[in-house]
Amino acid sequence: MATYTPMIQQYLQVKADYQDAFLFFRLGDFYEMFFDDAISASQELEITLTSREGGGEERIPMCGVPYHSAAQYIERLIERGYKVAICEQTEDPKQAKGVVKREVVQLITPGTMMEGKGLNEKENNFIAVISQFDGEIYGFVYCDLSTGEMKGTLLKGDFDIVLNELALSGAREVVLDNEFDANWQTKIRERTGATISFESDTEFKSVYSRLLTNSPNEELSTTAARLLNYLYRTQKRNLDHLQALDSYELQQFMKIDYFSKRNLELTETIRSKAKKGSLLWLLDETKTAMGGRLLKQWIDRPLLQESEIVRRQTLVETFITNYFERQDIREKLKEVYDLERLAGRVAFGNVNARDLVQLKRSLLQVPFIQTAIAGMNTKEAHAIMERLDPCEEIVDMLERSLSENPPLSLKDGNLIQDGYNEQLDQYRDASRNGKTWIAQLEREEREKTGIKSLKVGYNRVFGYYIEVTKANLHLLKEGQYERKQTLTNAERFITPELKEKEALILQAEEKSVDLEYELFTEIREYVKEFIPRLQALAKTISEIDVLQCFATISEERHYVKPNFSSERTMLIKDGRHPVVEKVMNAQEYVPNDCYLDQNRELLLITGPNMSGKSTYMRQVALTAILAQIGCFVPASEATLPIFDQVFTRIGAADDLIAGQSTFMVEMLEANHAIANATSDSLILFDEIGRGTSTYDGMSLAQAIIEYIHDKIGAKTLFSTHYHELTVLEEELNHLKNVHVSAIEQNGKVVFLHKIKEGAADKSYGIHVAQLANLPSELISRANEILQSFEQQQEYRENEQGQGEKQKAESVKEISQLSFFEEQEQDKKVNHQLTTKEKQIVNKIKNIDILDMTPMQAMNILYELHKKVKN
């Protein structure tokens, strides 16, 4: 350190406290980076890497960005998961003795962004904290700093529960204790991609009392304190907009684990990770950013409390019935600004005058929304209207104080209206009169000198001046003006009277700008007092926005209001997959019924690929979720139980990053459902067991079906290509076979997409391959192979029916199918058996066929087949 210059020493001292962040070090009009920061930043931001002398043996790598355009560079780093520490000059360089004092004024991280393109207006930007306590107890709290929302819960069990909750929150940053398990940190990164930060301070400070009044226990308070200490330490400013902790329990909402949420494509599609094509995309007819965020939260956490679901449904029905009032509300909501994030910026101190004008315009819409809701004339509508607070005091203040079209900058003046402040009016009058005097001076001097091109101008260096072109200098009298500056084609002059007026004008303008900024700061502080009321208003407007959105979608797409059954009956008539129906546009979607009750708990679904089994299963789950968030559902009639959980295993998704195969993922997701499902759950299993050999897969599929049927009793839709499993309908009382119908026309399969009772008679696999335009030669060969398999199956069935006498007869010659070459297999049966062959014969003799289940017989046959083949 001693060899470096004082400035570089200062840089290294500051950097020592922010090793995991890029340090933007303010030097004049630039933020500079040095050493490794400079090398990395030049690559990430694609800016020029230079170097400078710093007192050491070698030149120091260096790069920088202008301070006025730093925001865009900071956003790019944050989007890639980095942190940025902003180090500002904290004293006037002109008064500094030695190196100018500098200190970090804010640490910007992925979870603490307050504004910019990195914030999606219809998505929360959560930062989460996880604390571990004795006995597999975890505190989990997450907060959106931009809106002030803070939620938390205690989780009990293995760490997968915590991972699931973290993934559902979508947090971009996770704060942990320094001693947190390294393996779990790795799991967090792999599952969520979140940036990890550390905070060991869990001290409860008095300023947190207001925020933790709803905390039910010490563990949750400690966890929240860790997060709050991290936020106050990194942001170094007022956080008055933070809302009281909203504690919840997982049992309050329908549980949808991370895998099921992904499989059902609730908020993003599996393939592209995009919003388009998801349930959120279908439903999002919200008109405000706040409503869009609340809609996503409702989809993530469907309700279990029937009374609250019915309240939402009633309001949706009210909005549908009152079409014109709903349209008026939709128009007014378009004019409502993002009040939640505005309140955050007010508290943070980075709100500008245009933001406050938008706030005023937003508040002016509230009385119109109140009037429209009052016209609906239901008790539910009246209750929500009563919660709307127009905040007239803010409107009155902003109407009197701020200009209607203020500039973006707070240091350019013209923020405040005339008449708001007497002193400001005096400064403005002096400034305006002075400029009038300047214009009058220019006219008088032109007349005196006869120089029509003479002008009175201004620049920041010389102030006001009189400019005369060189061609007209001879018209001036000796000593008429005092020479100030010589240009190529002109001379600039001043007069004592002009300098006197200049002092008055500039002083008035400077004082005016300074006073305007002081007045704006006072206005901002006044608005800050109303933050709790603004946040409460934002919640109510958000709810109105989502409910009108449900009404609009339900009316346009012909959804119906579902009823709820206390007897666990599910009856969906003419159900549709809401997203697929929308994507198909004008094409006719084939609706299907779904009926389950206490005597019909499990549907075994068979049918060919591409026939719509997965779509049918998904639409049942989406119907249940839509109903429990309070929306109407895509059907002509619907009665549903209230499901406590939804589990799905649909589609093959290899978890290659975690080193898990398709089959392992299948088994893990199946185990998660089986271990956690109750009789009030909904389980969707699509072709479980296909990731392994036929016999293993079939055995597992049957065992899973039997376990769900006998031990759990959950409503279950289980699709399969193992047609052998359809015999289970005769053995399991609550299982019913259904199939997706298809017909064969002119040698090609036609999918009817209609669910019918009973098992499918064919799988049509080769027909599907034909639809995919596989080569005709390949299709013909596949048909030949299929016929051979069917003949062998027929032979085995006939032989089994002939009894023990037939088995003792001479072995008949059977041609063996080869996939690679066709050769005549004309070998005689060799009665001179080898030792291994004798072992196989003895094993067959010792089999007690009459005391075996079909599945056991199939497994033994499979083992023998492998031995003979070897």
PDB file of all heavy atoms in Angstrom, residues 454-455 464-469 473 476 480-485 490-495 498-499:
ATOM      1  N   LEU A 454     -26.083  43.972 -34.635  1.00  0.00           N
ATOM      2  CA  LEU A 454     -25.621  43.978 -33.243  1.00  0.00           C
ATOM      3  C   LEU A 454     -26.568  43.125 -32.400  1.00  0.00           C
ATOM      4  O   LEU A 454     -27.790  43.187 -32.557  1.00  0.00           O
ATOM      5  CB  LEU A 454     -25.584  45.405 -32.717  1.00  0.00           C
ATOM      6  CG  LEU A 454     -25.129  45.610 -31.260  1.00  0.00           C
ATOM      7  CD1 LEU A 454     -24.408  46.937 -31.117  1.00  0.00           C
ATOM      8  CD2 LEU A 454     -26.315  45.564 -30.292  1.00  0.00           C
ATOM      9  N   LYS A 455     -25.987  42.344 -31.496  1.00  0.00           N
ATOM     10  CA  LYS A 455     -26.838  41.522 -30.629  1.00  0.00           C
ATOM     11  C   LYS A 455     -26.254  41.454 -29.228  1.00  0.00           C
ATOM     12  O   LYS A 455     -25.038  41.597 -29.026  1.00  0.00           O
ATOM     13  CB  LYS A 455     -27.019  40.116 -31.187  1.00  0.00           C
ATOM     14  CG  LYS A 455     -25.754  39.257 -31.190  1.00  0.00           C
ATOM     15  CD  LYS A 455     -26.064  37.835 -31.690  1.00  0.00           C
ATOM     16  CE  LYS A 455     -24.817  36.951 -31.631  1.00  0.00           C
ATOM     17  NZ  LYS A 455     -25.084  35.591 -32.116  1.00  0.00           N
ATOM     18  N   TYR A 464     -23.209  38.106 -19.933  1.00  0.00           N
ATOM     19  CA  TYR A 464     -23.834  38.866 -21.018  1.00  0.00           C
ATOM     20  C   TYR A 464     -22.788  39.724 -21.734  1.00  0.00           C
ATOM     21  O   TYR A 464     -21.854  40.227 -21.118  1.00  0.00           O
ATOM     22  CB  TYR A 464     -24.961  39.750 -20.470  1.00  0.00           C
ATOM     23  CG  TYR A 464     -26.212  38.968 -20.114  1.00  0.00           C
ATOM     24  CD1 TYR A 464     -26.469  38.589 -18.802  1.00  0.00           C
ATOM     25  CD2 TYR A 464     -27.118  38.613 -21.116  1.00  0.00           C
ATOM     26  CE1 TYR A 464     -27.596  37.859 -18.470  1.00  0.00           C
ATOM     27  CE2 TYR A 464     -28.255  37.882 -20.794  1.00  0.00           C
ATOM     28  CZ  TYR A 464     -28.490  37.511 -19.477  1.00  0.00           C
ATOM     29  OH  TYR A 464     -29.609  36.792 -19.175  1.00  0.00           O
ATOM     30  N   TYR A 465     -22.985  39.925 -23.042  1.00  0.00           N
ATOM     31  CA  TYR A 465     -22.040  40.698 -23.848  1.00  0.00           C
ATOM     32  C   TYR A 465     -22.776  41.309 -25.035  1.00  0.00           C
ATOM     33  O   TYR A 465     -23.889  40.882 -25.395  1.00  0.00           O
ATOM     34  CB  TYR A 465     -20.903  39.806 -24.352  1.00  0.00           C
ATOM     35  CG  TYR A 465     -21.399  38.589 -25.111  1.00  0.00           C
ATOM     36  CD1 TYR A 465     -21.780  38.686 -26.454  1.00  0.00           C
ATOM     37  CD2 TYR A 465     -21.488  37.349 -24.484  1.00  0.00           C
ATOM     38  CE1 TYR A 465     -22.256  37.582 -27.133  1.00  0.00           C
ATOM     39  CE2 TYR A 465     -21.956  36.246 -25.155  1.00  0.00           C
ATOM     40  CZ  TYR A 465     -22.345  36.355 -26.491  1.00  0.00           C
ATOM     41  OH  TYR A 465     -22.821  35.287 -27.169  1.00  0.00           O
ATOM     42  N   ILE A 466     -22.127  42.338 -25.629  1.00  0.00           N
ATOM     43  CA  ILE A 466     -22.619  42.946 -26.866  1.00  0.00           C
ATOM     44  C   ILE A 466     -21.687  42.486 -27.981  1.00  0.00           C
ATOM     45  O   ILE A 466     -20.466  42.687 -27.896  1.00  0.00           O
ATOM     46  CB  ILE A 466     -22.620  44.489 -26.765  1.00  0.00           C
ATOM     47  CG1 ILE A 466     -23.554  44.942 -25.639  1.00  0.00           C
ATOM     48  CG2 ILE A 466     -23.038  45.106 -28.100  1.00  0.00           C
ATOM     49  CD1 ILE A 466     -23.448  46.435 -25.328  1.00  0.00           C
ATOM     50  N   GLU A 467     -22.227  41.893 -29.025  1.00  0.00           N
ATOM     51  CA  GLU A 467     -21.399  41.355 -30.109  1.00  0.00           C
ATOM     52  C   GLU A 467     -21.599  42.168 -31.386  1.00  0.00           C
ATOM     53  O   GLU A 467     -22.735  42.424 -31.806  1.00  0.00           O
ATOM     54  CB  GLU A 467     -21.756  39.889 -30.374  1.00  0.00           C
ATOM     55  CG  GLU A 467     -20.868  39.218 -31.439  1.00  0.00           C
ATOM     56  CD  GLU A 467     -21.146  37.742 -31.582  1.00  0.00           C
ATOM     57  OE1 GLU A 467     -20.790  36.976 -30.657  1.00  0.00           O
ATOM     58  OE2 GLU A 467     -21.751  37.352 -32.615  1.00  0.00           O
ATOM     59  N   VAL A 468     -20.438  42.582 -31.995  1.00  0.00           N
ATOM     60  CA  VAL A 468     -20.447  43.374 -33.239  1.00  0.00           C
ATOM     61  C   VAL A 468     -19.512  42.680 -34.232  1.00  0.00           C
ATOM     62  O   VAL A 468     -18.373  42.332 -33.886  1.00  0.00           O
ATOM     63  CB  VAL A 468     -19.969  44.824 -32.998  1.00  0.00           C
ATOM     64  CG1 VAL A 468     -19.955  45.604 -34.305  1.00  0.00           C
ATOM     65  CG2 VAL A 468     -20.856  45.508 -31.958  1.00  0.00           C
ATOM     66  N   THR A 469     -19.994  42.491 -35.452  1.00  0.00           N
ATOM     67  CA  THR A 469     -19.142  41.873 -36.475  1.00  0.00           C
ATOM     68  C   THR A 469     -17.999  42.821 -36.826  1.00  0.00           C
ATOM     69  O   THR A 469     -18.121  44.049 -36.712  1.00  0.00           O
ATOM     70  CB  THR A 469     -19.957  41.536 -37.735  1.00  0.00           C
ATOM     71  OG1 THR A 469     -20.506  42.740 -38.254  1.00  0.00           O
ATOM     72  CG2 THR A 469     -21.074  40.553 -37.424  1.00  0.00           C
ATOM     73  N   LEU A 473     -17.244  47.283 -37.105  1.00  0.00           N
ATOM     74  CA  LEU A 473     -16.521  47.885 -35.983  1.00  0.00           C
ATOM     75  C   LEU A 473     -16.252  49.378 -36.212  1.00  0.00           C
ATOM     76  O   LEU A 473     -16.181  50.154 -35.253  1.00  0.00           O
ATOM     77  CB  LEU A 473     -15.195  47.156 -35.758  1.00  0.00           C
ATOM     78  CG  LEU A 473     -15.283  45.750 -35.125  1.00  0.00           C
ATOM     79  CD1 LEU A 473     -13.899  45.122 -35.057  1.00  0.00           C
ATOM     80  CD2 LEU A 473     -15.892  45.847 -33.739  1.00  0.00           C
ATOM     81  N   LEU A 476     -18.517  52.042 -34.547  1.00  0.00           N
ATOM     82  CA  LEU A 476     -18.501  52.309 -33.118  1.00  0.00           C
ATOM     83  C   LEU A 476     -17.594  53.509 -32.814  1.00  0.00           C
ATOM     84  O   LEU A 476     -16.535  53.669 -33.421  1.00  0.00           O
ATOM     85  CB  LEU A 476     -17.985  51.088 -32.345  1.00  0.00           C
ATOM     86  CG  LEU A 476     -18.826  49.805 -32.403  1.00  0.00           C
ATOM     87  CD1 LEU A 476     -18.159  48.700 -31.587  1.00  0.00           C
ATOM     88  CD2 LEU A 476     -20.243  50.072 -31.877  1.00  0.00           C
ATOM     89  N   GLN A 480     -16.669  53.630 -26.749  1.00  0.00           N
ATOM     90  CA  GLN A 480     -18.117  53.466 -26.535  1.00  0.00           C
ATOM     91  C   GLN A 480     -18.412  52.232 -25.684  1.00  0.00           C
ATOM     92  O   GLN A 480     -19.275  52.269 -24.824  1.00  0.00           O
ATOM     93  CB  GLN A 480     -18.831  53.364 -27.894  1.00  0.00           C
ATOM     94  CG  GLN A 480     -20.352  53.353 -27.766  1.00  0.00           C
ATOM     95  CD  GLN A 480     -21.034  53.443 -29.136  1.00  0.00           C
ATOM     96  OE1 GLN A 480     -20.366  53.590 -30.166  1.00  0.00           O
ATOM     97  NE2 GLN A 480     -22.344  53.383 -29.137  1.00  0.00           N
ATOM     98  N   TYR A 481     -17.675  51.117 -25.977  1.00  0.00           N
ATOM     99  CA  TYR A 481     -17.838  49.872 -25.203  1.00  0.00           C
ATOM    100  C   TYR A 481     -16.478  49.417 -24.686  1.00  0.00           C
ATOM    101  O   TYR A 481     -15.441  49.801 -25.228  1.00  0.00           O
ATOM    102  CB  TYR A 481     -18.413  48.739 -26.070  1.00  0.00           C
ATOM    103  CG  TYR A 481     -19.776  49.010 -26.693  1.00  0.00           C
ATOM    104  CD1 TYR A 481     -20.035  48.620 -28.008  1.00  0.00           C
ATOM    105  CD2 TYR A 481     -20.795  49.607 -25.963  1.00  0.00           C
ATOM    106  CE1 TYR A 481     -21.272  48.832 -28.579  1.00  0.00           C
ATOM    107  CE2 TYR A 481     -22.039  49.831 -26.528  1.00  0.00           C
ATOM    108  CZ  TYR A 481     -22.274  49.438 -27.835  1.00  0.00           C
ATOM    109  OH  TYR A 481     -23.492  49.667 -28.407  1.00  0.00           O
ATOM    110  N   GLU A 482     -16.500  48.548 -23.674  1.00  0.00           N
ATOM    111  CA  GLU A 482     -15.269  47.945 -23.149  1.00  0.00           C
ATOM    112  C   GLU A 482     -15.077  46.563 -23.804  1.00  0.00           C
ATOM    113  O   GLU A 482     -15.929  45.697 -23.709  1.00  0.00           O
ATOM    114  CB  GLU A 482     -15.401  47.788 -21.627  1.00  0.00           C
ATOM    115  CG  GLU A 482     -14.190  47.146 -20.970  1.00  0.00           C
ATOM    116  CD  GLU A 482     -14.400  46.935 -19.471  1.00  0.00           C
ATOM    117  OE1 GLU A 482     -15.293  47.601 -18.893  1.00  0.00           O
ATOM    118  OE2 GLU A 482     -13.688  46.076 -18.902  1.00  0.00           O
ATOM    119  N   ARG A 483     -13.904  46.436 -24.508  1.00  0.00           N
ATOM    120  CA  ARG A 483     -13.648  45.186 -25.227  1.00  0.00           C
ATOM    121  C   ARG A 483     -13.479  44.025 -24.229  1.00  0.00           C
ATOM    122  O   ARG A 483     -12.778  44.132 -23.245  1.00  0.00           O
ATOM    123  CB  ARG A 483     -12.386  45.325 -26.072  1.00  0.00           C
ATOM    124  CG  ARG A 483     -12.206  44.180 -27.097  1.00  0.00           C
ATOM    125  CD  ARG A 483     -10.912  44.366 -27.878  1.00  0.00           C
ATOM    126  NE  ARG A 483     -10.885  45.651 -28.546  1.00  0.00           N
ATOM    127  CZ  ARG A 483     -11.393  45.875 -29.758  1.00  0.00           C
ATOM    128  NH1 ARG A 483     -11.957  44.887 -30.427  1.00  0.00           N
ATOM    129  NH2 ARG A 483     -11.319  47.076 -30.309  1.00  0.00           N
ATOM    130  N   LYS A 484     -14.150  42.832 -24.538  1.00  0.00           N
ATOM    131  CA  LYS A 484     -14.103  41.664 -23.643  1.00  0.00           C
ATOM    132  C   LYS A 484     -13.482  40.429 -24.314  1.00  0.00           C
ATOM    133  O   LYS A 484     -12.704  39.708 -23.698  1.00  0.00           O
ATOM    134  CB  LYS A 484     -15.533  41.321 -23.174  1.00  0.00           C
ATOM    135  CG  LYS A 484     -15.596  40.213 -22.127  1.00  0.00           C
ATOM    136  CD  LYS A 484     -14.939  40.619 -20.822  1.00  0.00           C
ATOM    137  CE  LYS A 484     -15.057  39.577 -19.744  1.00  0.00           C
ATOM    138  NZ  LYS A 484     -14.366  39.946 -18.510  1.00  0.00           N
ATOM    139  N   GLN A 485     -13.816  40.197 -25.608  1.00  0.00           N
ATOM    140  CA  GLN A 485     -13.348  38.974 -26.264  1.00  0.00           C
ATOM    141  C   GLN A 485     -13.271  39.207 -27.769  1.00  0.00           C
ATOM    142  O   GLN A 485     -14.129  39.882 -28.357  1.00  0.00           O
ATOM    143  CB  GLN A 485     -14.308  37.803 -25.970  1.00  0.00           C
ATOM    144  CG  GLN A 485     -13.866  36.455 -26.520  1.00  0.00           C
ATOM    145  CD  GLN A 485     -14.914  35.363 -26.261  1.00  0.00           C
ATOM    146  OE1 GLN A 485     -16.052  35.674 -25.949  1.00  0.00           O
ATOM    147  NE2 GLN A 485     -14.506  34.106 -26.410  1.00  0.00           N
ATOM    148  N   ALA A 490     -15.843  38.536 -35.213  1.00  0.00           N
ATOM    149  CA  ALA A 490     -16.579  39.520 -34.413  1.00  0.00           C
ATOM    150  C   ALA A 490     -15.797  39.885 -33.164  1.00  0.00           C
ATOM    151  O   ALA A 490     -14.810  39.234 -32.798  1.00  0.00           O
ATOM    152  CB  ALA A 490     -17.947  38.957 -34.035  1.00  0.00           C
ATOM    153  N   GLU A 491     -16.235  40.975 -32.538  1.00  0.00           N
ATOM    154  CA  GLU A 491     -15.695  41.406 -31.248  1.00  0.00           C
ATOM    155  C   GLU A 491     -16.844  41.464 -30.247  1.00  0.00           C
ATOM    156  O   GLU A 491     -17.995  41.794 -30.600  1.00  0.00           O
ATOM    157  CB  GLU A 491     -15.066  42.797 -31.364  1.00  0.00           C
ATOM    158  CG  GLU A 491     -13.823  42.838 -32.209  1.00  0.00           C
ATOM    159  CD  GLU A 491     -12.593  42.303 -31.491  1.00  0.00           C
ATOM    160  OE1 GLU A 491     -12.660  42.157 -30.248  1.00  0.00           O
ATOM    161  OE2 GLU A 491     -11.591  42.002 -32.162  1.00  0.00           O
ATOM    162  N   ARG A 492     -16.545  41.111 -28.969  1.00  0.00           N
ATOM    163  CA  ARG A 492     -17.555  41.142 -27.922  1.00  0.00           C
ATOM    164  C   ARG A 492     -17.151  42.200 -26.896  1.00  0.00           C
ATOM    165  O   ARG A 492     -15.987  42.294 -26.511  1.00  0.00           O
ATOM    166  CB  ARG A 492     -17.705  39.762 -27.261  1.00  0.00           C
ATOM    167  CG  ARG A 492     -18.371  38.743 -28.181  1.00  0.00           C
ATOM    168  CD  ARG A 492     -18.465  37.369 -27.558  1.00  0.00           C
ATOM    169  NE  ARG A 492     -19.189  36.450 -28.419  1.00  0.00           N
ATOM    170  CZ  ARG A 492     -19.346  35.148 -28.186  1.00  0.00           C
ATOM    171  NH1 ARG A 492     -18.791  34.626 -27.091  1.00  0.00           N
ATOM    172  NH2 ARG A 492     -20.027  34.398 -29.021  1.00  0.00           N
ATOM    173  N   PHE A 493     -18.198  42.968 -26.438  1.00  0.00           N
ATOM    174  CA  PHE A 493     -17.967  44.102 -25.538  1.00  0.00           C
ATOM    175  C   PHE A 493     -18.905  44.012 -24.340  1.00  0.00           C
ATOM    176  O   PHE A 493     -19.914  43.290 -24.369  1.00  0.00           O
ATOM    177  CB  PHE A 493     -18.227  45.425 -26.273  1.00  0.00           C
ATOM    178  CG  PHE A 493     -17.424  45.591 -27.536  1.00  0.00           C
ATOM    179  CD1 PHE A 493     -17.925  45.151 -28.767  1.00  0.00           C
ATOM    180  CD2 PHE A 493     -16.167  46.191 -27.510  1.00  0.00           C
ATOM    181  CE1 PHE A 493     -17.197  45.318 -29.925  1.00  0.00           C
ATOM    182  CE2 PHE A 493     -15.441  46.355 -28.675  1.00  0.00           C
ATOM    183  CZ  PHE A 493     -15.945  45.924 -29.894  1.00  0.00           C
ATOM    184  N   ILE A 494     -18.586  44.744 -23.295  1.00  0.00           N
ATOM    185  CA  ILE A 494     -19.466  44.896 -22.141  1.00  0.00           C
ATOM    186  C   ILE A 494     -19.536  46.363 -21.781  1.00  0.00           C
ATOM    187  O   ILE A 494     -18.707  47.176 -22.220  1.00  0.00           O
ATOM    188  CB  ILE A 494     -18.982  44.080 -20.923  1.00  0.00           C
ATOM    189  CG1 ILE A 494     -17.561  44.532 -20.530  1.00  0.00           C
ATOM    190  CG2 ILE A 494     -19.040  42.588 -21.188  1.00  0.00           C
ATOM    191  CD1 ILE A 494     -17.080  43.902 -19.225  1.00  0.00           C
ATOM    192  N   THR A 495     -20.543  46.694 -20.951  1.00  0.00           N
ATOM    193  CA  THR A 495     -20.659  48.052 -20.398  1.00  0.00           C
ATOM    194  C   THR A 495     -20.926  47.914 -18.900  1.00  0.00           C
ATOM    195  O   THR A 495     -21.421  46.868 -18.455  1.00  0.00           O
ATOM    196  CB  THR A 495     -21.826  48.826 -21.033  1.00  0.00           C
ATOM    197  OG1 THR A 495     -23.073  48.192 -20.656  1.00  0.00           O
ATOM    198  CG2 THR A 495     -21.701  48.848 -22.546  1.00  0.00           C
ATOM    199  N   LEU A 498     -24.498  46.973 -18.255  1.00  0.00           N
ATOM    200  CA  LEU A 498     -24.822  45.593 -18.622  1.00  0.00           C
ATOM    201  C   LEU A 498     -24.342  44.624 -17.540  1.00  0.00           C
ATOM    202  O   LEU A 498     -25.045  43.673 -17.178  1.00  0.00           O
ATOM    203  CB  LEU A 498     -24.167  45.242 -19.970  1.00  0.00           C
ATOM    204  CG  LEU A 498     -24.433  43.823 -20.506  1.00  0.00           C
ATOM    205  CD1 LEU A 498     -25.923  43.592 -20.706  1.00  0.00           C
ATOM    206  CD2 LEU A 498     -23.680  43.595 -21.820  1.00  0.00           C
ATOM    207  N   LYS A 499     -23.136  44.863 -16.977  1.00  0.00           N
ATOM    208  CA  LYS A 499     -22.623  43.963 -15.943  1.00  0.00           C
ATOM    209  C   LYS A 499     -23.467  44.056 -14.666  1.00  0.00           C
ATOM    210  O   LYS A 499     -23.660  43.055 -13.971  1.00  0.00           O
ATOM    211  CB  LYS A 499     -21.170  44.305 -15.617  1.00  0.00           C
ATOM    212  CG  LYS A 499     -20.190  44.070 -16.754  1.00  0.00           C
ATOM    213  CD  LYS A 499     -20.273  42.666 -17.317  1.00  0.00           C
ATOM    214  CE  LYS A 499     -19.773  41.615 -16.354  1.00  0.00           C
ATOM    215  NZ  LYS A 499     -19.844  40.232 -16.929  1.00  0.00           N
TER     216      LYS A 499
END
